[in-house]
Amino acid sequence: MELSALQRVRYTYKPKLPGSLSRPVTEIAVQLGNPTESISDQDALKARFKETYGKPLAAFVPGRNETISRRLSVGVILSGGQAPGGHNVIAGLYDGLKKGNPGSKLFGLLGGPSGLIDNKSVEITGPMMDAYRNTGGFDMIGSGRTKIESPEQFASSLETAKKLGLDAVVIIGGDDSNTNAALLAEYFLSRGSNIQVIGCPKTIDGDLKNENIEISFGFDTAVKTYSELIGNIERDANSAKKYWHFIKLMGRSASHIALECALQTQPNICFISEEVEAKKLSLGQVVDQICNSVVKRADNKENFGVVLIPEGLVEFIPEMKKLIDELNDIMANKEKEFSEQGSFHAQTNWLVTQLSDPSGYLFKSLPEEIAKELLMDRDPHGNVQVSRIETEKLLMGMTESKLRDLKKTGTYKGKFSALGHFFGYEGRCAFPTNFDADYCYSLGFSAFVLIASGLTGYLSSVKNLVAPADQWIAGGVPLTMMMNMEHRHGADKPVIRKALVELDGKPFKAFAAERETWSVKTSFVYPGSIQYYGPAEICDQPTITLKLEKL
Amino acid sequence: MELSALQRVRYTYKPKLPGSLSRPVTEIAVQLGNPTESISDQDALKARFKETYGKPLAAFVPGRNETISRRLSVGVILSGGQAPGGHNVIAGLYDGLKKGNPGSKLFGLLGGPSGLIDNKSVEITGPMMDAYRNTGGFDMIGSGRTKIESPEQFASSLETAKKLGLDAVVIIGGDDSNTNAALLAEYFLSRGSNIQVIGCPKTIDGDLKNENIEISFGFDTAVKTYSELIGNIERDANSAKKYWHFIKLMGRSASHIALECALQTQPNICFISEEVEAKKLSLGQVVDQICNSVVKRADNKENFGVVLIPEGLVEFIPEMKKLIDELNDIMANKEKEFSEQGSFHAQTNWLVTQLSDPSGYLFKSLPEEIAKELLMDRDPHGNVQVSRIETEKLLMGMTESKLRDLKKTGTYKGKFSALGHFFGYEGRCAFPTNFDADYCYSLGFSAFVLIASGLTGYLSSVKNLVAPADQWIAGGVPLTMMMNMEHRHGADKPVIRKALVELDGKPFKAFAAERETWSVKTSFVYPGSIQYYGPAEICDQPTITLKLEKL
């Protein structure tokens, strides 16, 4: 495979480790704290996790570690969507294992959790590892979205682990995957197996965080990639002075990505889904916010701007959520009748008779292409594929239409021309920033120490991330500590709670304090592309979100 | 205005100059060669450019320059679409002027050529200049697409230049803008004015080049920004292994951008408009090329890939061009009849009776949303807005449909899921690469020397760009030397010839030699983001196109 110049140079980058992990491994001892509790539903979780509930926090301290030089076999899984730095988690784990005992082995389970279920693996060798250090992507061993759910899947996972002679499995994933890691740790112990399970916090969405996990890896690189592009587009808007750019950003459940990008680039408008939901905004109110900015800026002769839109926005607008739910019901129960309607026009008229009055009214008010997107391309469960809805076009169309009305009344005299963008895939596989490269390597190395110290049901943790890397604090957090019970698919299930944007948190407040100004006055900031070399201020800074939360 | 960390650091970057421009300015002499000829239509051009035709090439050599320390007033114009480095052309010009004589003045003409026509300008001061060094965008003085065409516009341009007391005007623009610069230089002399006009070669499209202009500025930064994104998406495709990404790239007339991005990232498919036109490919044949790759890759269990599509592709497919021309005619001549057709269905049926048989057949075979794009949003001249056609979606839809047919015949057994992207605005205002920062600064400085030496009707030129900057060769190329006559809007007009991709040129041949392999075997290369600091191999390399053409 041909290599880019940057890839060759990045191979030689040496990720930084926390001070506690920089000592000879035999001098890294594990100190356990008091038993812990889950964030809620303690009794239910205690019952579900008989073997692993309530374990103590693990800290790494100077001291003799007698077990760390055992010869180990470990399997590693990349689970779910790509996030920059995944390969460095594997590298940290690999290097830790080899430092502990050169005879130790690391197996990559191929294509995500199904690699464990179906026994598809590869032993990771030195040259193979070196070909992926400090690179983006999950292509080293592949990823997948299969969940280990059925009794058969759990059983075959154990069988594979035994066949490979594994001492431990490391699952690199988001909230769902780490919930799975907790269940697997519990399952192995309940079946009398000592095979350990350790998780690592991954997701560009930034919604796997809590008091012990400051941020999931990949968020840093992804938001900086998107911010580069948003800044470039802002500068283009401010140069051409004739377009409003509507930019949709990945992040369906939480709006951390949009919020961080807004803090980095200071656009005219940025919606935060959590706020839209909390304020129960209607689609019309969302559009009004945009129009207010467009009108005021037109008064200043600035007929251009930038709007950031989190991917999941429509699901957080209560009336849209209701419409989608009703459509899902109708399509599930009356599919035949629906399909018998000839034209789109006939379908619309029939649907309006089936929808509640407010939903019918809303449906008719949508731009035609969006209405069509709601009716087509249903997922295997018959549901609307919300991620396929071109929310940026929806808002562009409705803004244009509302501005036409305002022009008639004389309140708006500007010109409006809009362009849409969607950024997501551009950032999931970028070369990890120095921050993500260091953080991931440390998470992997920390996972090794947790394994070598005999722990299971833990998430590898590295904290104090706003300080220089040598002051980072590595350790382990019991997975059950981050869990609660949630009602999903008709049953109460133990899950790690997703961290949404907190409207009383410092990042949101910092944004809220400035956005009125930004909506009128051009206040763009141009972050430029991710830098890996040069002065520390351009290549070693954590996100603004992290700084605001932790400093 | 708040500044990003990168912007602050980039302010301190010192652009490199060619050796011939690094001497004290009083020791930079201009050496003139023999009279030159235009590339064709010599008689017609000689008649049109009585004052400025056939001037000699200008080279900079060591020697006493008696006139360079004159006190000068110069006006500068940014013309047309943004390209990274525009601010550095101004910086080079500014620094040159001040080195020549601290009392010299530089005026920015605001909002493009209309700033000259309408007398809107600002004097560029030191602090103002410093706020834009090594930054992207044209926001310092704005840009515009107005052409100086009518006798009144020429007259008021001269009037403004006189009012401002200008000795010279520098026009930073593409082929059209530099044609305008040539006309303006001729006009000024023909009116007895000694106000000089110098052009600078700008355009991300890379289609302003010839034996004396190795590349227009901005191309380097733009293609590297797009290549970063394409590489990231390739890595995502190769990790997720479930999507075909169809990526449309800016570049309507020439496919240099797509070609360079293909050389940088080695996608599975890249169309070159010039080849499609030369081979007279039909839309079906274009789709077949994609399907061939999809089918072969599916046989290897690789149900993913990346397709690059130049923005202007549809206009280079002869049957599509014919269809668009026919539609333009029908809509212009029978608009009333067309608008009387009620539904889209009725419009289609009516149009088919008006179109030639092949065009009617083609029109009916297009996906509905593309057919609609062809009928809506006409430009002020009533023409189809080709740039609004979502070519990536057109090809996605037709590929999907063709694959369904192949599935029925049993020749295709894979899965196909496609995602579309369009990259253009993301790259036009990026922070210029070191290459563009240096090149632009040198072009500006060279423009100053040409002005101070009394020349007019020249394009600032910097050659030998694949060597280190101190070996670059700066000088001036007579604008008429690059011109020919072309038939435009019903009349023969003198224009600088656009440089299209040459099918027998080295860059295309290098691509053509590899593409069969790339279309089947995953050969992706991941360039990563533009680096401004660090080892020279990651931050000081010219494009592959330039290396292939010049080495």
Side-chain angles (χ1 to χ4, degrees):
Chain A
M1 197 116 174
E2 225 166 289
L3 299 177
S4 72
L6 185 65
Q7 183 153 339
R8 276 193 302 270
V9 171
R10 287 306 281 169
Y11 281 159
T12 66
Y13 177 76
K14 299 279 173 233
K16 301 183 271 289
L17 274 177
S20 65
L21 296 178
S22 303
R23 290 190 292 273
V25 289
T26 50
E27 295 168 28
I28 305 172
V30 173
Q31 193 176 56
L32 298 177
N34 296 321
T36 59
E37 294 277 9
S38 60
I39 43 173
S40 65
D41 310 303
Q42 289 81 6
D43 292 341
L45 286 161
K46 208 176 288 184
R48 178 66 188 78
F49 293 92
K50 292 198 173 59
E51 305 285 344
T52 52
Y53 182 86
K55 296 195 172 225
L57 284 166
F60 302 146
V61 294
R64 190 78 204 144
N65 190 324
E66 300 292 347
T67 62
I68 208 159
S69 295
R70 282 185 297 146
R71 190 156 151 172
L72 294 167
S73 279
V74 174
V76 63
I77 296 171
L78 291 167
S79 180
Q82 283 76 251
H87 292 151
N88 266 32
V89 178
I90 300 176
L93 177 60
Y94 177 89
D95 289 353
L97 281 167
K98 296 291 178 180
K99 272 193 187 171
N101 187 320
S104 288
K105 289 185 172 185
L106 180 61
F107 294 89
L109 295 152
L110 299 175
S114 59
L116 184 63
I117 299 171
D118 303 336
N119 193 6
K120 290 192 178 153
S121 71
V122 62
E123 188 185 338
I124 295 172
T125 63
M128 182 179 170
M129 189 67 252
D130 290 346
Y132 289 92
R133 289 179 190 271
N134 309 304
T135 61
F138 279 7
D139 39 320
M140 182 181 186
I141 56 173
S143 181
R145 294 188 183 272
T146 306
K147 275 189 203 172
I148 303 172
E149 283 181 313
S150 68
E152 296 73 29
Q153 287 175 324
F154 276 102
S156 51
S157 295
L158 179 55
E159 202 176 317
T160 300
K162 281 181 177 168
K163 269 189 198 153
L164 289 174
L166 299 185
D167 298 288
V169 175
V170 174
I171 297 179
I172 302 169
D175 51 342
D176 274 355
S177 305
N178 278 297
T179 296
N180 230 223
L183 293 168
L184 200 62
E186 179 70 23
Y187 177 83
F188 286 170
L189 279 176
S190 73
R191 290 300 181 278
S193 159
N194 285 323
I195 300 171
Q196 303 155 244
V197 182
I198 301 292
C200 285
K202 172 228 73 168
T203 167
I204 64 162
D205 294 344
D207 56 6
L208 172 50
K209 63 178 171 182
N210 51 55
E211 62 174 312
N212 287 298
I213 303 298
E214 295 185 352
I215 188 64
S216 53
F217 79 77
F219 177 73
D220 190 86
T221 309
V223 291
K224 286 173 182 168
T225 303
Y226 305 143
S227 295
E228 170 201 358
L229 303 179
I230 297 164
N232 287 359
I233 287 175
E234 284 181 342
R235 191 137 212 171
D236 202 289
N238 194 24
S239 300
K241 300 193 186 294
K242 63 180 178 187
Y243 294 118
W244 274 84
H245 294 268
F246 284 60
I247 305 174
K248 189 171 73 169
L249 293 168
M250 222 173 229
R252 198 168 146 194
S253 309
S255 297
H256 299 290
I257 289 178
L259 179 56
E260 172 68 20
C261 289
L263 292 168
Q264 293 265 0
T265 64
Q266 305 190 175
N268 303 103
I269 306 270
C270 173
F271 292 104
I272 302 298
S273 298
E274 290 85 341
E275 184 190 26
V276 168
E277 185 177 46
K279 292 188 173 169
K280 299 190 172 53
L281 295 187
S282 67
L283 192 51
Q285 288 171 310
V286 166
V287 172
D288 282 347
Q289 284 190 19
I290 303 174
C291 290
N292 281 342
S293 172
V294 173
V295 169
K296 284 183 189 157
R297 287 176 61 72
D299 288 343
N300 299 338
K301 305 262 175 280
E302 305 219 296
N303 289 303
F304 63 90
V306 169
V307 182
L308 302 188
I309 304 155
E311 188 182 9
L313 182 66
V314 290
E315 289 180 287
F316 286 80
I317 298 172
E319 61 177 1
M320 281 295 285
K321 190 173 176 346
K322 186 158 180 290
L323 168 63
I324 292 168
D325 287 346
E326 289 183 28
L327 284 173
N328 284 342
D329 274 354
I330 295 169
M331 307 293 262
N333 298 322
K334 302 184 177 172
E335 210 209 327
K336 189 159 168 289
E337 238 178 299
F338 171 75
S339 62
E340 281 163 7
Q341 310 301 320
S343 65
F344 170 69
H345 188 70
Q347 287 174 340
T348 304
N349 286 342
W350 177 79
L351 276 170
V352 169
T353 66
Q354 305 292 315
L355 291 163
S356 67
D357 278 358
S359 291
Y361 182 79
L362 177 63
F363 186 69
K364 278 200 291 183
S365 76
L366 296 176
E368 187 178 312
E369 60 182 320
I370 303 295
K372 281 188 177 161
E373 283 171 1
L374 284 171
L375 301 185
M376 295 188 308
D377 283 341
R378 317 195 71 76
D379 76 10
H381 309 288
N383 293 330
V384 172
Q385 291 201 51
V386 180
S387 67
R388 293 270 171 143
I389 299 175
E390 295 178 288
T391 317
E392 71 281 18
K393 289 197 178 163
L394 170 67
L395 296 182
M396 282 159 62
M398 294 189 73
T399 300
E400 204 173 349
S401 147
K402 171 88 190 193
L403 288 172
R404 263 198 301 271
D405 294 346
L406 292 175
K407 211 156 209 170
K408 282 179 204 153
T409 67
T411 38
Y412 172 62
K413 296 184 184 71
K415 286 180 195 168
F416 181 76
S417 184
L419 294 168
H421 310 262
F422 170 45
F423 298 135
Y425 299 94
E426 293 78 359
R428 306 198 311 176
C429 288
F431 285 88
T433 55
N434 290 349
F435 175 89
D436 268 331
D438 298 346
Y439 179 41
C440 288
Y441 189 81
S442 301
L443 284 171
F445 204 102
S446 167
F448 152 69
V449 178
L450 295 171
I451 293 165
S453 307
L455 299 174
T456 188
Y458 277 77
L459 191 69
S460 177
S461 147
V462 178
K463 302 204 295 184
N464 198 31
L465 294 168
V466 290
D470 62 344
Q471 296 166 39
W472 289 357
I473 298 164
V477 184
L479 285 163
T480 57
M481 191 182 173
M482 302 180 285
M483 299 180 91
N484 63 3
M485 300 297 289
E486 289 179 20
H487 197 75
R488 291 192 185 176
H489 303 297
D492 283 329
K493 293 202 172 162
V495 292
I496 293 176
R497 188 191 281 171
K498 241 188 220 310
L500 302 181
V501 169
E502 290 176 9
L503 301 183
D504 58 355
K506 285 182 187 168
F508 180 80
K509 280 183 168 173
F511 161 69
E514 297 293 337
R515 63 176 159 180
E516 272 301 308
T517 309
W518 300 350
S519 74
V520 182
K521 193 170 168 293
T522 302
S523 312
F524 301 155
V525 175
Y526 316 121
S529 60
I530 291 171
Q531 297 301 301
Y532 302 95
Y533 302 93
E537 67 259 42
I538 60 167
C539 63
D540 284 314
Q541 295 302 310
T543 59
I544 298 175
T545 300
L546 194 58
K547 284 191 208 172
L548 288 170
E549 284 174 342
K550 299 300 168 190
L551 284 179
Chain B
M1 200 118 174
E2 225 166 289
L3 300 176
S4 72
L6 185 65
Q7 183 153 339
R8 275 194 302 272
V9 171
R10 287 306 280 169
Y11 281 159
T12 66
Y13 177 75
K14 299 280 173 229
K16 302 183 269 290
L17 274 177
S20 64
L21 296 178
S22 303
R23 291 191 291 275
V25 290
T26 50
E27 294 169 28
I28 305 172
V30 173
Q31 192 175 56
L32 299 176
N34 296 321
T36 58
E37 294 275 12
S38 60
I39 42 173
S40 65
D41 311 302
Q42 288 82 4
D43 292 341
L45 286 161
K46 209 176 287 182
R48 178 67 187 81
F49 292 91
K50 292 199 172 61
E51 306 284 345
T52 52
Y53 182 84
K55 298 194 171 226
L57 284 165
F60 303 146
V61 295
R64 189 79 201 144
N65 190 323
E66 301 292 346
T67 64
I68 209 160
S69 295
R70 282 185 299 146
R71 190 157 150 172
L72 293 168
S73 278
V74 174
V76 63
I77 295 171
L78 292 167
S79 181
Q82 283 74 249
H87 291 151
N88 267 31
V89 179
I90 301 177
L93 178 59
Y94 178 90
D95 289 352
L97 279 167
K98 296 292 179 180
K99 272 192 189 172
N101 185 319
S104 288
K105 288 186 174 186
L106 181 60
F107 294 90
L109 293 153
L110 299 176
S114 59
L116 184 63
I117 299 171
D118 303 336
N119 192 7
K120 290 193 178 151
S121 70
V122 62
E123 188 186 336
I124 295 173
T125 63
M128 183 181 170
M129 190 67 252
D130 290 345
Y132 289 92
R133 288 178 189 274
N134 309 304
T135 60
F138 279 7
D139 40 320
M140 182 182 186
I141 55 173
S143 182
R145 293 188 184 271
T146 306
K147 274 189 204 173
I148 303 173
E149 282 180 312
S150 69
E152 295 74 29
Q153 288 174 325
F154 276 102
S156 52
S157 295
L158 179 55
E159 203 176 317
T160 299
K162 282 181 177 169
K163 269 190 198 154
L164 289 173
L166 299 185
D167 297 287
V169 175
V170 174
I171 297 179
I172 302 170
D175 50 344
D176 274 355
S177 307
N178 279 297
T179 296
N180 230 223
L183 293 169
L184 200 62
E186 179 69 22
Y187 177 83
F188 285 170
L189 281 177
S190 73
R191 290 300 180 277
S193 161
N194 284 322
I195 300 170
Q196 303 155 242
V197 182
I198 300 293
C200 284
K202 172 229 74 173
T203 167
I204 63 162
D205 294 345
D207 55 6
L208 171 50
K209 62 177 171 183
N210 51 55
E211 61 174 316
N212 286 298
I213 303 298
E214 295 186 350
I215 187 64
S216 53
F217 78 77
F219 178 73
D220 190 88
T221 309
V223 292
K224 286 173 183 169
T225 302
Y226 305 142
S227 294
E228 170 201 357
L229 303 180
I230 297 163
N232 287 358
I233 287 174
E234 284 180 343
R235 192 138 211 171
D236 201 288
N238 193 24
S239 299
K241 300 193 187 292
K242 61 180 177 186
Y243 294 117
W244 274 84
H245 294 267
F246 284 60
I247 305 174
K248 188 170 74 168
L249 293 168
M250 224 175 228
R252 200 170 146 192
S253 309
S255 298
H256 299 289
I257 289 178
L259 178 56
E260 171 68 22
C261 289
L263 292 168
Q264 292 267 359
T265 64
Q266 304 190 175
N268 304 101
I269 306 271
C270 173
F271 292 103
I272 303 298
S273 297
E274 290 86 340
E275 183 189 27
V276 169
E277 185 177 46
K279 293 190 173 166
K280 298 190 172 56
L281 295 187
S282 67
L283 192 53
Q285 286 171 311
V286 166
V287 172
D288 282 347
Q289 284 190 19
I290 303 174
C291 290
N292 281 343
S293 172
V294 173
V295 169
K296 282 183 191 157
R297 287 176 61 74
D299 288 344
N300 298 339
K301 306 262 175 280
E302 305 219 297
N303 290 301
F304 62 91
V306 170
V307 182
L308 301 188
I309 305 155
E311 187 184 8
L313 182 66
V314 290
E315 290 180 287
F316 288 79
I317 299 172
E319 60 176 2
M320 280 295 284
K321 191 175 177 339
K322 187 157 178 292
L323 169 61
I324 291 168
D325 287 345
E326 290 184 26
L327 284 174
N328 284 341
D329 275 352
I330 295 169
M331 307 293 261
N333 300 321
K334 303 185 179 174
E335 211 210 325
K336 190 160 166 288
E337 239 179 299
F338 171 75
S339 61
E340 281 163 8
Q341 310 300 322
S343 65
F344 171 71
H345 188 68
Q347 288 173 341
T348 305
N349 286 342
W350 177 79
L351 277 170
V352 169
T353 66
Q354 305 293 315
L355 292 163
S356 68
D357 279 359
S359 291
Y361 182 79
L362 177 62
F363 186 70
K364 278 200 292 185
S365 75
L366 296 176
E368 186 178 312
E369 59 182 323
I370 304 295
K372 282 190 176 162
E373 284 171 357
L374 285 172
L375 302 186
M376 295 190 306
D377 284 340
R378 316 193 76 72
D379 76 9
H381 309 287
N383 294 328
V384 171
Q385 291 202 51
V386 179
S387 67
R388 293 271 172 140
I389 299 174
E390 294 177 289
T391 317
E392 70 282 17
K393 290 198 179 161
L394 168 69
L395 296 182
M396 282 159 63
M398 294 188 72
T399 300
E400 202 173 349
S401 147
K402 170 90 191 190
L403 288 171
R404 261 197 302 271
D405 294 346
L406 292 174
K407 208 154 212 172
K408 282 179 203 151
T409 68
T411 37
Y412 172 61
K413 298 187 181 71
K415 285 180 196 170
F416 181 76
S417 183
L419 293 168
H421 309 262
F422 171 44
F423 298 136
Y425 299 94
E426 293 78 359
R428 306 198 311 175
C429 288
F431 285 87
T433 55
N434 290 348
F435 175 89
D436 268 331
D438 298 347
Y439 179 40
C440 288
Y441 190 81
S442 302
L443 284 171
F445 204 102
S446 166
F448 153 69
V449 178
L450 296 171
I451 292 166
S453 307
L455 299 174
T456 188
Y458 277 77
L459 191 69
S460 176
S461 148
V462 178
K463 303 205 295 185
N464 198 29
L465 295 167
V466 291
D470 61 345
Q471 296 166 39
W472 289 357
I473 298 163
V477 184
L479 284 163
T480 57
M481 189 180 175
M482 301 180 286
M483 299 179 94
N484 63 3
M485 301 297 290
E486 289 180 21
H487 197 74
R488 290 194 185 175
H489 304 296
D492 282 332
K493 295 201 170 163
V495 294
I496 293 176
R497 189 190 282 169
K498 242 190 221 308
L500 302 181
V501 170
E502 290 175 10
L503 301 184
D504 56 356
K506 285 182 187 167
F508 180 80
K509 280 183 167 171
F511 162 69
E514 297 293 338
R515 62 177 161 181
E516 272 302 307
T517 308
W518 301 350
S519 76
V520 182
K521 192 168 169 292
T522 302
S523 311
F524 301 154
V525 175
Y526 316 121
S529 59
I530 291 172
Q531 297 300 301
Y532 301 94
Y533 302 93
E537 67 257 44
I538 60 166
C539 61
D540 284 313
Q541 295 302 309
T543 59
I544 297 174
T545 300
L546 195 58
K547 284 191 209 172
L548 289 169
E549 283 174 343
K550 300 299 166 190
L551 284 180

